[in-house]
Amino acid sequence: MAARGIGSALLAAAEDEARRRGLSRLTLATFRDVPWNRPFYERRGFAEVLVDDWTPAFFLLQAGEELSGLPLDNRLFMRKELG
């Protein structure tokens, strides 16, 4: 199922919608221990957001993920500036 371009198309649609709404960035959370996740997003302009650079929204997202039972030590927040 990989390499069909579906993930890239979804990200492009999200970016188009964010720009249409006048937003300046996209953020996402993914799993750090899945070897292809980070490179996939990095190739599309996303970069890791280190804890020292988290806004209050990242802490809220992390709290929600914790309540959902996700393994927080494997989570990675990323951001893409839209310019």
Side-chain angles (χ1 to χ4, degrees):
M1 296 281 267
R4 291 184 179 182
I6 295 170
S8 295
L10 288 170
L11 281 176
E15 184 174 334
D16 290 345
E17 181 62 17
R19 288 180 189 280
R20 189 187 71 73
R21 293 180 183 206
L23 301 176
S24 61
R25 64 185 59 96
L26 290 175
T27 59
L28 62 85
T30 190
F31 288 100
R32 185 182 299 277
D33 61 340
V34 178
W36 56 84
N37 277 359
R38 182 183 189 137
F40 172 83
Y41 292 116
E42 285 176 338
R43 285 192 305 273
R44 285 146 187 88
F46 286 84
E48 181 175 4
V49 181
L50 301 175
V51 175
D52 290 345
D53 296 324
W54 283 12
T55 63
F58 283 107
F59 290 99
L60 290 172
L61 287 169
Q62 184 186 46
E65 290 189 349
E66 184 175 24
L67 289 172
S68 297
L70 289 171
L72 298 182
D73 56 332
N74 290 333
R75 297 301 280 163
L76 169 69
F77 288 115
M78 301 183 84
R79 175 173 44 220
K80 178 179 182 176
E81 301 295 332
L82 299 178

